[in-house]
Amino acid sequence: MVILRNWNNVCPYVQPIKFKLLTRTIGCHQGHELTLRVLYRLFREAEQDHDFFSSTTATSVYETFLLTVAETLRDSFPASDKSLTRLLGEVPYLPKTAYKFLECLCCPGSNEKVDKELQSGDRVTQGLSAVWSLILLRPPIRDTCLKIALQSAVHHLEEVRMKAIRLVANKLYPLSCIAQQIEEFSNDMLLSVMNGPNVTEGVDADGSITEGPKDSDLEKPANEVAVSNATKEVASDGTCSSVSEAQRCMSLYFALCTKKHSLFRRIFVIYKSLSKAVKQAVHRHIPILVRTMGSSSELLGIISDPPTGCENLLIQVLHTLTDGAIPSPELILTVRKLYESKLKDAEILIPILPSLSKDEVLSIFPELINLPPDKFQAVLARMLQGSSHFGPALTPAEVLIAIHGIDPERDGIPLKKVTDACNACFEQRQVFTQQVIAKVLNQLVEQIPLPLLFMRTVLQAIGAFPALVDFIMEILSRLVNKQIWKYPKLWVGFLKCTALTKPQSFSVLLQLPAAQLENALNRTPALKAPLITHANQPNIRTSLPRSILVVLGIAQDSQSSSHTQIVQPQTTDTSNSGAEAVTEKNKESSTAS
C-alpha cells in the first residue's frame, strides 16, 4: 500500500473522498482513476473559482498533489512500470514543476543534486518514455517536451546522451511536425564546436556555409537551453577544447545523418575549419556512421565532389567503406573519376587497390611510390591483399619488379622514394621471402638495360638471406657476361658485392678480363692478396689465362721478358745497336696500342 504524503494540503479540496480510498495502490486501475478524479476536481476548482486567493491555493494544491503522486510512482515502482507515463499523459494540466520533474529524470544532475538511483539508465529511459508519449499525445506541450529530449541528447553523461539520441533519431525525427526543429537544433550544436559561444555561421541545406544567427537570436524553444550549455567548454579562440566535449555536441547530428544522408555533406564543408580536437571527435564518429550509410547515392555524391580541405576525412570514409567489404562498382567508378578529374592524390586510390586490375595498378605505380613511407606500407598491404574475386592486384615478385622499373628522371620520382619502397619490401620477410627475392633477381638480371637499383637489391638480398650467396654468385657471373663494367654505377655495386662475398666471389673475379680485374683490384686493394692466394692453387692457376696471372703478379708479362732479352745482347754487340733500337721502339709502340 502506498500512502500519499502532504495529505493535509489536499484535504480541504477533497473532503468527500475518504482517506482510506487514497491509500490504495496508485499503480492499479482503481488508484489511477481515483487520482485522476482528484486532479480534475482540483483543476476545476482552480479554473472556476474567481476568488484570487482560493484559485491560487487550488492551483498550488493541484501541483503539489500531482508532483506527490508522480514522485510516489517513481520511488515505489520499477522504472519499467508505465504508470507514470500514463498519469502524465492523462492529467488535465502539466504545471512547470511537472516539467522540472521530467527534466530531472531525463537529465540527471543538470539542475540539482540527485541520488545515483535517479542517474541510472533505467530511470532515464522511464523519463524519456514519458516525454515521447507526451510529444505524441499532447501537441500543445510538444515543444516543451521536445526541448527536454534535446537537452538530454547533449547530456554530459554518455549513457544518458545515447539513450536520448536513440529516442530523438529513431522515434522523434521521423515525425514531420518536429523534424525541422530537431535538425536545426543538431546543426546549431554542430556549429557550436566550430565557432564557440558566438555562432556566426550556418550551413545551408546544400552544405554551403552562410551568415547565420548569433546566440542572442536563438529563440527557438527546442534549442535555446542546450546551445547555451554546449558552449561551456571552449578554448580562448572560440573552438571546442576537448574531444569529449566535441563528441557531446556532435553525436546527435551524426545520428541524424544515418536517417538523412545528405546532412553528412555539412561535416565535409566545415571540416577544414575545425580544431584538432574536434577533428578527432569527427573521426571517431565516422566508422559507425559510414557503415550504416553504406555506398548510398548521397554518400557517393559527396565523394564525387568533396569540398576543399577535407582529404583526410574523405580517405577515412573510403577506408571504412572498403575494410572487410568488397567495394561496389559505383564506388570504384566514383573514386577513379575523382582521381582522374579533381583530386590527383594517389592516397585516395589505396582503399580500392584490391579491386583494380594489374594494368591499372601498374599505370599509377609511380604515384603510389611517391607517397610517404607509412602510406606506401598501406599500399603494399592493399595490393598484396587483393579481393576475394580476383586475388592480389600484384604478387610480391611483381611489386619488387615494378619498383625497379621506376625511372626517377622519367617518372619524376625522387630516387630516395624508390629506395624507401625497396626497404619496405625487405622489411616484410614473411611476404618477400628468399624464394621471392631469388625469382626477382633472376628476372631483373635479364633486363636491358639493367635497373639502376639492381646491385643495391643484390646487396640487400645477401644481407637479408645469407643462404642466397651461391645463387648470387650465379647472378654475378651473368653480369660478367653482360659486361657490367660498362655501367659505372652498377660496376661500383658489383665490386662491393664481390668484396662482401669473398672468398665465394673469387671465382667470379677471375672471370673478368685482365683490364677489368686490374681496375677491380685497384678500387678494392683488400681483395688482391687473398685473391692471389686463391689463384695460386695448382688446380686453379692452370685454368687461368696468362693475362690474369700477370695482373695478379703470379706470372711475368711475356713482352717485358722479350724486352729484357733484346737489351742484354746490346752490351756485347754494338754493331747492330741501331737496328735493335728500331725493333725495340716498334714493340713498345705495339704494346701501348
Side-chain angles (χ1 to χ4, degrees), residues 24 63 109 127 191 227 267 401 438 484 486 489 546 554 557 569 587:
R24 294 181 180 181
E63 291 185 15
L191 294 180
V227 168
I267 303 295
I401 291 171
I484 186 66
K486 291 185 177 180
K489 293 182 179 180
R546 184 174 181 81
I554 297 175
D557 189 346
K587 288 185 177 181

Side-chain angles (χ1 to χ4, degrees), residues 43-176:
F43 181 72
R44 284 196 301 271
E45 290 284 344
E47 289 288 303
Q48 295 174 3
D49 197 330
H50 298 292
D51 179 80
F52 175 77
F53 294 103
S54 298
S55 61
T56 301
T57 303
T59 300
S60 175
V61 172
Y62 174 89
E63 291 185 15
T64 301
F65 183 64
L66 174 60
L67 189 60
T68 299
V69 174
E71 289 175 345
T72 300
L73 292 174
R74 180 196 66 194
D75 298 338
S76 303
F77 293 92
S80 58
D81 187 84
K82 301 297 181 182
S83 300
L84 177 62
T85 298
R86 184 183 177 193
L87 173 70
L88 296 178
E90 296 181 10
V91 296
Y93 165 71
L94 284 176
K96 289 183 179 180
T97 52
Y99 298 127
K100 290 292 183 183
F101 173 80
L102 278 175
E103 191 174 321
C104 282
L105 279 179
C106 299
C107 308
S110 58
N111 291 325
E112 61 182 21
K113 271 193 169 183
V114 292
D115 58 36
K116 291 184 179 179
E117 201 276 333
L118 289 183
Q119 292 185 7
S120 71
D122 290 342
R123 287 301 174 191
V124 172
T125 301
Q126 183 183 30
L128 290 172
S129 178
V131 166
W132 178 29
S133 177
L134 292 173
I135 290 174
L136 292 176
L137 301 177
R138 308 191 74 151
I141 63 171
R142 182 174 289 157
D143 286 350
T144 304
C145 293
L146 177 59
K147 181 171 69 174
I148 295 174
L150 293 177
Q151 244 186 297
S152 184
V154 292
H155 197 271
H156 63 281
L157 294 177
E158 184 178 8
E159 182 182 10
V160 174
R161 184 168 67 246
M162 296 315 297
K163 287 179 179 293
I165 287 174
R166 283 193 288 270
L167 169 67
V168 174
N170 297 333
K171 304 295 185 182
L172 301 182
Y173 189 49
L175 302 177
S176 58

Side-chain angles (χ1 to χ4, degrees), residues 345-541:
D345 184 353
E347 188 177 354
I348 68 169
L349 298 173
I350 296 177
I352 65 168
L353 280 178
S355 301
L356 300 181
S357 68
K358 181 185 299 185
D359 290 340
E360 288 175 316
V361 173
L362 291 176
S363 68
I364 60 172
F365 204 80
E367 287 76 17
L368 297 174
I369 292 288
N370 205 25
L371 291 171
D374 59 324
K375 305 297 183 186
F376 183 71
Q377 291 283 6
V379 168
L380 277 181
R382 289 280 179 165
M383 283 192 300
L384 299 173
Q385 162 197 343
S387 65
S388 58
H389 293 289
F390 305 107
L394 296 178
T395 65
E398 288 171 336
V399 169
L400 259 180
I401 291 171
I403 291 173
H404 285 80
I406 301 292
D407 186 325
E409 292 185 5
R410 180 194 67 206
D411 299 317
I413 308 298
L415 181 60
K416 189 178 186 308
K417 291 282 189 179
V418 186
T419 59
D420 286 344
C422 279
N423 294 339
C425 295
F426 273 92
E427 287 171 3
Q428 300 188 29
R429 302 284 179 87
Q430 293 181 341
V431 177
F432 294 87
T433 62
Q434 178 174 306
Q435 291 74 20
V436 169
I437 300 301
K439 180 180 180 180
V440 169
L441 294 178
N442 201 39
Q443 293 186 43
L444 292 178
V445 75
E446 294 299 326
Q447 291 186 5
I448 301 175
L450 287 166
L452 178 63
L453 295 180
F454 178 71
M455 288 311 308
R456 183 182 185 276
T457 302
V458 171
L459 289 166
Q460 278 187 292
I462 295 172
F465 305 103
L468 280 178
V469 66
D470 291 335
F471 173 77
I472 297 297
M473 293 306 104
E474 295 178 16
I475 294 292
L476 296 182
S477 294
R478 291 159 72 178
L479 291 176
V480 171
N481 294 332
K482 289 177 171 290
Q483 300 182 334
I484 186 66
W485 52 88
K486 291 185 177 180
Y487 303 89
K489 293 182 179 180
L490 295 175
W491 175 240
V492 173
F494 178 90
L495 297 179
K496 287 181 179 179
C497 188
T498 57
L500 183 64
T501 57
K502 64 179 183 181
Q504 291 94 332
S505 62
F506 288 164
S507 59
V508 176
L509 286 169
L510 294 176
Q511 297 173 31
L512 291 170
Q516 280 67 48
L517 177 59
E518 184 174 11
N519 179 273
L521 296 178
N522 289 336
R523 286 172 174 264
T524 53
L527 283 174
K528 189 167 186 177
L531 183 60
I532 291 173
T533 302
H534 174 78
N536 238 340
Q537 299 177 66
N539 60 324
I540 296 176
R541 179 174 180 175

Side-chain angles (χ1 to χ4, degrees), residues 538-558:
N539 60 324
I540 296 176
R541 179 174 180 175
T542 56
S543 65
L544 297 176
R546 184 174 181 81
S547 58
I548 297 298
L549 296 175
V550 170
V551 170
L552 295 174
I554 297 175
Q556 192 174 13
D557 189 346
S558 59

Side-chain angles (χ1 to χ4, degrees), residues 328-347:
S328 66
E330 294 80 12
L331 176 61
I332 296 172
L333 181 61
T334 300
V335 176
R336 279 176 178 165
K337 287 184 177 179
L338 175 62
Y339 175 74
E340 294 168 358
S341 61
K342 184 175 181 180
L343 193 58
K344 285 291 184 180
D345 184 353
E347 188 177 354

